[in-house]
Amino acid sequence: TRCNFEANWDLVIFDEYHFGAWRESAKELFEGEDEKVKQKELAAEYNDGLVAFDEELDELGNDEDDFLPITTRAYLYLSGTPFKALATGEFIEEQIFNWTYTDEQRAKAEYAVAQPDAWNPYGSLPEMRLFTYQMPDELIAVANQGEFDEFDLNEFFEAKGIGKDAEFTHKTDVQKWLDLVRGAHLPTQVDAMRMGTRPPFPYSDVRLLPYLQHSFWFLPNVAACEAMSNLLAEKQNVFWHDYKVLVVAGPGAGIGLDALPPVRAAIGDGHDTKTITLSCGKLTTGVTVKQWSSILMLRNLNSPETYFQAAFRVQSPWSIKNPDGDNPSAEAVLKPVCFVFDFAPTRALRQIADYGAGLSPETPNPEQAVEELVKFLPVLAYDGSNMTQVDAGGILDIAMSGTSATLLARKWESAILVNVDNDTLRKIMNNPDALNAVMNIEGFRALGNDIFETVVNKSDAVKKAKKEKGEEITPAEKKELTAEEKEYKSKRKQIQEKLVKFATRIPAFMYLTDFRENTLQDVITKLEPGLFRTVTGLTVEDFHLLVNLGVFNATHMNQAVFAFRRYEDSSLSYTGIESHKGLRHYGLYDTVVAVDDDAIA
């Protein structure tokens, strides 16, 4: 499209603002491709120009005006999962607005209740459901490893060779897995007969089969995709011969969107065809194939961003407008729900726990955040005998027992734990005691007392000047304002970093204190003030004052403390030891949560 470079635009939108924040995570999606293909895929997805733009953006501290060829009054950054951008403090609290999958599904449900006979604008957006399956012991033994003895999907689906010669290392076991997912694995069938129930495996349960007419199988690498295609085609796998198997992996499949036309051609309108798309990265970002209704997660993914980036490929709406030709407002929804099938339960539930917390940044109790998500993203887990719905507490228990101290520590290194907007900085400036308290935090004296005043005054002045000058701003004035903007943004970042550094001392304090049922705030301010000063360097009075001014974000502190408490408890209970005998509640930062239910004391 042509762009008017002379106009002063009202708004510039950066859509899919994750090419920077996700640069490392995005690489994970294409890990299984050849190195050259991987580079081309990343270039196709994020465009070399966008990557260069993002690097400049990082260096300039978000001074887009310096190198954007157009002028604008405001910028809007859009991202489906902006967790990293938020955690690094790229945007401060007053710049953040959330509209998430949970909001969308809640709006869909509320609209249906409020106007049951009207067309629902959210009606075609499918609800996602996660099914996790504990593999049988004989298959777990093939690929169990890691700190928590987790089932390793990459190891299980390891393959060698290329094209028609590609073959799984554990081919016999993968064949058993193929039998398992269609309900034909003999030991599992025997167990089901003993239990008197038949667990809902993806390709066997009549309720699930309609949503597996067109599915996406996400495998570890090109060899695994080709090996799976070869195995599905073997004569013993008659069941699978009904499905057209599409391999979209490796250089032969095309780069980026070039891999899409064969998939669309094979699916057609989706009604009379059946397909399985095998991929190790291609078509997992920026692609809409409305007929995909299920994804099978058959590879390791470490971060919730990449996990849900792939998972949400199946959440695109599939509906027919005006199906009978007599009502333009009528809509036939062909995909009311969609499914994610995962065969590494601990890892899958960890992603749900992290994603739930990320979607609800202002929920005071982390368990509530996950509970809110699973209202609209039900989780069902097969434990080898029964399939049961897992509630928020169960998800957190499993997730925390399968995390590590390193992952936990990251929660205490996040910029979202502290507030550095102008209102908070003004409160510090206008309160001599608060200013003295902050100066007692390590590193602040070097920044100087006037840093708060500089940030607030300069940011206010720049905003005012930009508003008043508008389109009449001269290049010289623009250059001066940009320099001022750089300075206050840099200083705000320094304030943020020092406050986060202070927050990282709090876990050390939690390890040392023995009060588990009291809120952390009470332990700090009433029960162990001496210990707190020794560990953090701040007096209770100073800390209390800064808390009351909102310098520390209580919501995110609650989430971080909650993760610590749960992890500590599950780590010890794993060995048969109780962390604290008779513990009935977890004291979070400024609230208390019951150990055995969702109640808040």
Side-chain angles (χ1 to χ4, degrees):
T1 57
R2 292 180 119 186
C3 181
N4 185 344
F5 292 99
E6 294 177 5
N8 183 41
W9 296 84
D10 292 316
L11 180 68
V12 169
I13 300 173
F14 294 108
D15 195 12
E16 297 294 346
Y17 183 70
H18 55 236
F19 53 84
W22 282 13
R23 202 175 297 135
E24 292 309 311
S25 293
K27 288 176 184 174
E28 187 187 359
L29 286 170
F30 301 103
E31 268 177 0
E33 292 285 1
D34 306 328
E35 195 55 39
K36 283 184 181 177
V37 174
K38 177 179 172 181
Q39 294 308 319
K40 285 181 180 177
E41 287 287 358
L42 287 167
E45 171 60 21
Y46 296 113
N47 188 298
D48 288 333
L50 289 183
V51 174
F53 169 87
D54 179 66
E55 285 167 354
E56 289 183 70
L57 198 62
D58 285 345
E59 289 167 18
L60 292 166
N62 288 7
D63 292 316
E64 300 90 339
D65 291 342
D66 269 12
F67 54 91
L68 202 63
I70 56 176
T71 59
T72 181
R73 291 169 56 196
Y75 298 98
L76 174 64
Y77 300 84
L78 299 178
S79 174
T81 47
F83 307 149
K84 285 192 173 140
L86 299 182
T88 53
E90 206 168 317
F91 302 93
I92 59 174
E93 45 281 5
E94 63 187 20
Q95 299 172 314
I96 299 163
F97 173 78
N98 294 299
W99 177 263
T100 67
Y101 166 79
T102 306
D103 294 315
E104 162 202 298
Q105 292 297 316
R106 190 189 300 110
K108 174 181 170 179
E110 289 172 353
Y111 198 97
V113 172
Q115 301 183 59
D117 299 322
W119 172 74
N120 189 334
Y122 306 98
S124 64
L125 298 168
E127 178 184 273
M128 184 178 277
R129 296 176 184 177
L130 172 67
F131 280 42
T132 71
Y133 296 87
Q134 182 73 44
M135 299 287 260
D137 289 344
E138 61 175 314
L139 298 188
I140 284 177
V142 174
N144 236 26
Q145 60 184 42
E147 182 184 355
F148 296 98
D149 210 23
E150 293 178 30
F151 183 65
D152 189 316
L153 289 164
N154 287 12
E155 169 64 27
F156 185 77
F157 289 105
E158 183 188 21
K160 292 182 174 64
I162 57 173
K164 293 297 179 186
D165 296 323
E167 189 172 77
F168 287 112
T169 305
H170 310 291
K171 184 177 176 181
T172 300
D173 298 294
V174 176
Q175 178 66 61
K176 288 176 184 175
W177 175 83
L178 281 175
D179 295 339
L180 178 83
V181 296
R182 69 180 187 89
H185 180 244
L186 186 59
T188 308
Q189 285 182 318
V190 172
D191 288 343
M193 288 170 64
R194 284 176 184 154
M195 295 294 297
T197 58
R198 191 174 179 84
F201 287 107
Y203 285 88
S204 71
D205 192 281
V206 70
R207 293 163 297 179
L208 298 176
L209 274 170
Y211 299 97
L212 286 143
Q213 193 169 341
H214 301 287
S215 62
F216 187 97
W217 293 18
F218 198 10
L219 287 146
N221 50 44
V222 178
C225 292
E226 292 175 338
M228 184 63 80
S229 177
N230 295 340
L231 182 57
L232 290 170
E234 289 188 7
K235 62 182 181 181
Q236 75 274 12
N237 285 317
V238 178
F239 171 87
W240 301 102
H241 295 174
D242 287 347
Y243 293 84
K244 169 78 172 172
V245 177
L246 304 151
V247 179
V248 289
I255 300 297
L257 291 177
D258 291 342
L260 190 54
V263 176
R264 289 203 193 283
I267 291 174
D269 65 6
H271 298 297
D272 303 317
T273 54
K274 294 166 80 173
T275 64
I276 292 171
T277 302
L278 307 175
S279 172
C280 59
K282 288 187 206 300
L283 307 186
T284 52
T285 64
V287 169
T288 299
V289 178
K290 60 187 179 183
Q291 293 89 353
W292 282 342
S293 303
S294 293
I295 183 168
L296 277 67
M297 292 293 194
L298 308 178
R299 59 165 289 186
N300 300 337
L301 285 170
N302 297 318
S303 70
E305 291 97 330
T306 48
Y307 188 89
F308 283 97
Q309 173 77 345
F312 274 112
R313 291 312 96 205
V314 301
Q315 210 249 335
S316 54
W318 184 18
S319 65
I320 301 172
K321 298 283 176 68
N322 194 7
D324 300 320
D326 57 1
N327 183 358
S329 64
E331 182 178 27
V333 176
L334 302 177
K335 190 167 72 173
V337 294
C338 59
F339 294 88
V340 178
F341 297 104
D342 202 306
F343 300 87
T346 303
R347 188 220 49 200
L349 298 187
R350 191 185 309 144
Q351 307 291 25
I352 285 279
D354 289 346
Y355 192 62
L359 286 183
S360 304
E362 297 311 317
T363 304
N365 173 1
E367 193 156 343
Q368 281 182 346
V370 176
E371 184 180 25
E372 183 72 4
L373 173 61
V374 297
K375 276 183 194 172
F376 304 109
L377 203 166
V379 176
L380 287 94
Y382 175 66
D383 62 5
S385 55
N386 293 304
M387 177 69 93
T388 53
Q389 190 159 344
V390 188
D391 62 13
I395 289 170
L396 286 163
D397 281 339
I398 296 167
M400 292 308 167
S401 63
T403 190
S404 68
T406 305
L407 289 173
L408 202 60
R410 284 183 195 159
K411 290 184 181 292
W412 290 96
E413 294 167 358
S414 171
I416 56 179
L417 289 173
V418 299
N419 294 324
V420 291
D421 59 292
N422 280 4
D423 287 343
T424 305
L425 299 186
R426 275 196 199 93
K427 288 174 186 175
I428 296 172
M429 277 167 47
N430 297 333
N431 188 320
D433 291 335
L435 198 56
N436 287 333
V438 170
M439 286 302 135
N440 286 331
I441 293 174
E442 183 185 341
F444 264 103
R445 292 210 179 276
L447 298 180
N449 280 22
D450 59 348
I451 190 167
F452 301 101
E453 196 171 348
T454 302
V455 171
V456 172
N457 291 349
K458 289 203 171 181
S459 62
D460 285 347
V462 168
K463 283 177 189 172
K464 185 180 177 184
K466 280 187 173 180
K467 191 175 181 180
E468 288 175 352
K469 299 279 183 184
E471 295 179 28
E472 298 171 10
I473 191 168
T474 67
E477 288 171 328
K478 184 180 176 182
K479 189 175 181 181
E480 187 180 341
L481 286 175
T482 300
E484 299 277 294
E485 203 167 7
K486 265 189 193 177
E487 185 185 352
Y488 81 70
K489 283 182 178 178
S490 169
K491 289 187 184 297
R492 195 192 299 276
K493 191 80 175 170
Q494 287 177 301
I495 294 170
Q496 192 178 57
E497 286 167 356
K498 296 292 183 286
L499 289 172
V500 170
K501 190 174 180 182
F502 168 79
T504 60
R505 300 280 180 87
I506 293 178
F509 173 75
M510 285 193 292
Y511 270 117
L512 294 170
T513 183
D514 206 39
F515 296 96
R516 286 299 185 275
E517 296 204 10
N518 304 83
T519 68
L520 183 62
Q521 197 171 336
D522 278 348
V523 177
I524 291 168
T525 56
K526 298 172 187 173
L527 301 172
E528 299 215 25
L531 178 63
F532 183 74
R533 184 170 188 177
T534 302
V535 174
T536 66
L538 212 62
T539 68
V540 166
E541 291 74 18
D542 288 346
F543 179 72
H544 204 50
L545 180 56
L546 296 180
V547 166
N548 288 339
L549 293 179
V551 175
F552 299 102
N553 186 316
T555 298
H556 292 290
M557 284 278 198
N558 274 333
Q559 290 180 356
V561 177
F562 186 74
F564 175 91
R565 299 283 196 229
R566 205 112 192 188
Y567 172 68
E568 179 189 45
D569 215 42
S570 59
S571 297
L572 289 170
S573 63
Y574 183 74
T575 64
I577 303 168
E578 286 187 67
S579 66
H580 289 76
K581 196 167 178 61
L583 183 67
R584 301 299 340 124
H585 295 83
Y586 291 129
L588 303 192
Y589 175 64
D590 63 357
T591 189
V592 176
V593 181
V595 170
D596 52 353
D597 57 43
D598 301 331
I600 296 180

